[in-house]
Every structure is written in structure tokens, then in C-alpha cells.
Amino acid sequence: MVMKNNETRIEPPVSGSPALTEKAKKELLRIAREAIESYVRFHRVPELKISEPELQQKLGAFVTLTIQGQLRGCIGRFEPDMPVAEVVQQMALAAATDDPRFSPVTPDELPKIRIEISVLTPRKKIRDINEIQVGKHGLYITRGWRGGTLLPQVATEYGWSREEFLQHTCYKAGLPPDAWKDKDTEIFIYSAEIFHEP
């Protein structure tokens, strides 16, 4: 997942996943879908309309696009300074048009695209890897100017152990797979509420 985040050092505790109602989740999926459809077809960003008050919360989010189960784009942001509804709109556009691993989504692909949204808790820095709960926590690993993250669902999808999850996150950050053992490497955990289109 490509990160577009504010690099802050705020380290509040990781609680459970952000509690969103089903109506709020549907609204975020609508916002993401409308943003992608409007921009890919007409090069216009639609006006953001928020009807659910809880979507004014300032939360980070990732938007993941797949076609028949294959990744087609994924970009997200931690610790935003804007409502989660706005974060989702921006990250949906970025995932569709600005993920450097892929060419921009085309109009022909729009009916095949499936949108998944991960709304994040703030990150918490840890010093003991036993705090990591595979399947519940995402990882963000940084050393020097390199950093990378993998969402909670990635470890579950691949059946990774805790150590494998750490190794793959290091690799994502452009670091050696055992860099998580280095005292200069910082490890953060976070949780996510994950939902997607049918």
C-alpha cells in the first residue's frame, strides 16, 4: 500500500476499530465510488456531500481497489487533518489514478472495480513485538527516511505468522527483512475497520 500521510510522532494508544454505523460505511463506499467514476469518466472531482455526522471525525483511511481479486490500486493516509469522508474521497482518487505501481484506471475497468475501505485508528509505537496481534493489527515500520505499512487484512490473507508479517512490512519499507530487529527501527501498530462493496 502506498502511503500519503502526515508524518507525526503522536502515539495515542490503539483501541478497537473505529466504530462506524452501517449507514456511515455505505456512505463512504458511495463517496469513493462517485469520486472514481466522476474523475475517470469526466476528469471532475464531485462535490463532497456528507449526511452522516460521524464521517466528520478526523481519522486515517486506506482505499484498496481490486479487479477479480487482483490488486489494482491502494493508497492511504494516517493521522489526517480533515474529516474521514474527505480522506476517503482523496484516497479513492489517488488509488485509481496515482498509484505508481499501476496505470490509471480506465472507463472500461470501472464496472469491474471493487472498492475496499480501511478506516484506521491512530498508530501506537511498540517496543515488544508480542503486542502485535496478527489479523487485528496493521504494521507501520520506519528506519531513517524509509517507511512502509501493511494493513491488518494482508497478514490474514497470506496466512503469515507475526515474524513473517514483520519481515514483509520491512520489505515494503525498502528495508532488509530482518530490519525489525534493529534498535534504530521503529515499529507501530494500528487497527482498522474494513468494509467493501459486494
Side-chain angles (χ1 to χ4, degrees):
M1 289 68 184
V2 177
M3 289 178 302
K4 290 200 169 181
N5 61 325
N6 297 335
E7 290 298 337
T8 65
R9 291 296 177 185
I10 299 170
E11 298 168 16
V14 170
S15 59
S17 299
L20 296 176
T21 63
E22 288 304 311
K23 286 176 68 175
K25 294 175 187 178
K26 288 179 181 177
E27 184 160 339
L28 286 178
L29 288 167
R30 174 190 61 77
I31 288 168
R33 172 61 66 175
E34 288 180 358
I36 294 170
E37 295 261 353
S38 177
Y39 194 83
V40 170
R41 292 189 190 280
F42 310 112
H43 299 285
R44 289 199 305 264
V45 179
E47 179 185 355
L48 183 60
K49 297 176 182 177
I50 305 172
S51 62
E52 294 299 310
E54 64 192 294
L55 299 185
Q56 298 287 354
Q57 296 178 82
K58 293 180 179 179
L59 297 168
F62 274 71
V63 176
T64 303
L65 309 180
T66 57
I67 294 179
Q68 295 180 338
Q70 299 299 309
L71 184 65
R72 187 60 181 82
C74 180
I75 292 186
R77 172 178 180 149
F78 291 102
E79 286 113 22
D81 53 2
M82 64 184 74
V84 65
E86 190 172 345
V87 174
V88 165
Q89 184 186 61
Q90 290 189 6
M91 296 305 102
L93 290 170
T97 65
D98 201 30
D99 187 328
R101 298 168 293 179
F102 302 95
S103 59
V105 169
T106 65
D108 288 345
E109 289 178 304
L110 289 173
K112 307 171 192 173
I113 289 285
R114 181 183 190 235
I115 298 170
E116 179 179 271
I117 296 173
S118 303
V119 177
L120 312 178
T121 61
R123 292 173 292 178
K124 173 193 172 187
K125 185 176 178 179
I126 63 169
R127 290 176 173 80
D128 182 354
I129 65 166
N130 289 315
E131 291 186 56
I132 301 167
Q133 296 181 43
V134 175
K136 176 183 178 182
H137 292 142
L139 294 181
Y140 173 62
I141 291 179
T142 180
R143 189 176 74 188
W145 58 272
R146 295 182 182 274
T149 190
L150 288 175
L151 295 169
Q153 60 267 43
V154 176
T156 304
E157 289 168 4
Y158 287 96
W160 289 337
S161 66
R162 182 184 290 124
E163 288 74 16
E164 288 171 324
F165 195 17
L166 285 160
Q167 291 168 359
H168 282 278
T169 309
C170 287
Y171 179 75
K172 186 69 185 298
L175 297 168
D178 62 350
W180 59 273
K181 300 176 183 178
D182 192 314
K183 62 180 176 59
D184 294 324
T185 299
E186 294 183 305
I187 303 172
F188 297 81
I189 59 174
Y190 58 90
S191 298
E193 182 150 10
I194 304 157
F195 47 98
H196 51 74
E197 293 179 323

